[in-house]
Amino acid sequence: MVHPDGIIEMFTQQVKWNEDGLVPAIAQDWQTGEVLMMAWMNAEALELTAREGRGIYWSRSRGALWRKGEESGNIQHLKELRLDCDGDTVLLKVEQVGGIACHTGRRHCFYFKYDEGEWRTTEEVLRDPSELYGSKQ
Amino acid sequence: MVHPDGIIEMFTQQVKWNEDGLVPAIAQDWQTGEVLMMAWMNAEALELTAREGRGIYWSRSRGALWRKGEESGNIQHLKELRLDCDGDTVLLKVEQVGGIACHTGRRHCFYFKYDEGEWRTTEEVLRDPSELYGSKQ
């Protein structure tokens, strides 16, 4: 990202962005270790995540920056930010406000559990999505 | 994947493969919750993972199936297999044999930690890669 003063942050240059300028970003609960979600980041999202200390992603469907929790209030406070050996995946350790990371109202997004050839739905819905997102949902 | 008897596994059809026929797959230590690595799977890798009960990925660099640990012996016993809300990311909870998931000889791949604008190397090398991979490395 280019700052108003023209400086490009070095640490985002060390990331190996894919052909769309994105990398996968895994968000994990900093205390329980639970994997909450996987989203994508561009360089701007990564830099803003580091600077603002909260999970900020790139929404591929909307083609826009996505400040996680901007609608639901369930923001992610960044506790630790990591990059992997190949430089092409980011890991965020976060405090998930509201205890709900998934847009379905569940604690995390990985609620389909493989069982004998099928994906079975697990994890209860803690809040109805219509409550989380109001009339938009 | 098409079986020898022509049956295609239903559960792989419910996955939203990207334009290359792949999805990101996150491997997590089933006991500590530590995120070990992120790799990619095609439908065959996912089905073999489920069938054989071990982490099997698709190596994009080699363009081939990658049975994690096939060279180093550090295989991943599958304890749980999950899919996320969008059906486009897989999560494996595994027992990491040898306690080393990273090809650099570290416990996991996310050893670059963000600290004031820089990625700092953390996590000690438990085994020299030349020991893990012999003369190939």
Side-chain angles (χ1 to χ4, degrees), chain B residues 96-116:
Chain B
Q96 177 62 63
V97 171
I100 296 175
C102 186
H103 74 288
T104 63
R106 293 178 174 85
R107 211 166 64 235
H108 62 81
C109 295
F110 293 91
Y111 58 82
F112 291 112
K113 187 175 169 184
Y114 178 82
D115 182 23
E116 298 187 0

Side-chain angles (χ1 to χ4, degrees), chain B residues 26 79 90 95 128:
Chain B
I26 302 161
K79 298 294 184 177
V90 168
E95 180 192 346
D128 191 285

Side-chain angles (χ1 to χ4, degrees), chain A residues 114 117-118, chain B residues 1-15 17 43-44 47 51:
Chain A
Y114 177 83
E118 286 179 37
Chain B
M1 182 192 184
V2 181
H3 278 242
D5 57 5
I7 297 165
I8 297 169
E9 289 281 354
M10 281 299 293
F11 80 97
T12 64
Q13 292 186 49
Q14 290 168 34
V15 176
W17 309 97
E44 187 177 7
E47 186 170 326
R51 202 194 304 167

Side-chain angles (χ1 to χ4, degrees), chain A residues 28 81-83 110 112 114, chain B residues 33 81-83 110 112 114:
Chain A
Q28 175 182 36
L81 182 60
R82 287 177 173 260
L83 182 68
F110 294 91
F112 291 112
Y114 177 83
Chain B
L81 183 59
R82 286 177 173 259
L83 182 69
F110 293 91
F112 291 112
Y114 178 82

Side-chain angles (χ1 to χ4, degrees), chain A residues 27-29 34-37 76 94 96 101 107-110:
Chain A
Q28 175 182 36
D29 185 290
E34 194 168 51
V35 176
L36 301 173
M37 53 182 273
Q76 294 176 335
V94 301
Q96 177 63 62
R107 211 166 64 235
H108 63 80
C109 295
F110 294 91

Side-chain angles (χ1 to χ4, degrees), chain A residues 90-103:
Chain A
V90 168
L91 176 66
L92 291 80
K93 299 191 184 183
V94 301
E95 179 193 347
Q96 177 63 62
V97 171
I100 295 175
C102 186
H103 74 288

Side-chain angles (χ1 to χ4, degrees), chain A residues 51-127:
Chain A
R51 201 193 305 167
E52 299 186 13
R54 59 176 284 194
I56 299 174
Y57 305 93
W58 177 258
S59 166
R60 296 182 303 172
S61 57
R62 288 190 287 119
L65 277 180
W66 166 36
R67 291 164 185 272
K68 171 71 181 161
E70 59 196 351
E71 289 181 52
S72 64
N74 292 341
I75 71 170
Q76 294 176 335
H77 294 301
L78 184 69
K79 297 293 185 179
E80 206 173 288
L81 182 60
R82 287 177 173 260
L83 182 68
D84 76 345
C85 53
D86 297 326
D88 62 4
T89 307
V90 168
L91 176 66
L92 291 80
K93 299 191 184 183
V94 301
E95 179 193 347
Q96 177 63 62
V97 171
I100 295 175
C102 186
H103 74 288
T104 62
R106 293 176 173 86
R107 211 166 64 235
H108 63 80
C109 295
F110 294 91
Y111 58 81
F112 291 112
K113 187 175 169 183
Y114 177 83
D115 182 24
E116 297 186 1
E118 286 179 37
W119 299 108
R120 297 195 192 278
T121 303
T122 64
E123 317 302 329
E124 60 176 328
V125 174
L126 301 177
R127 280 190 70 186

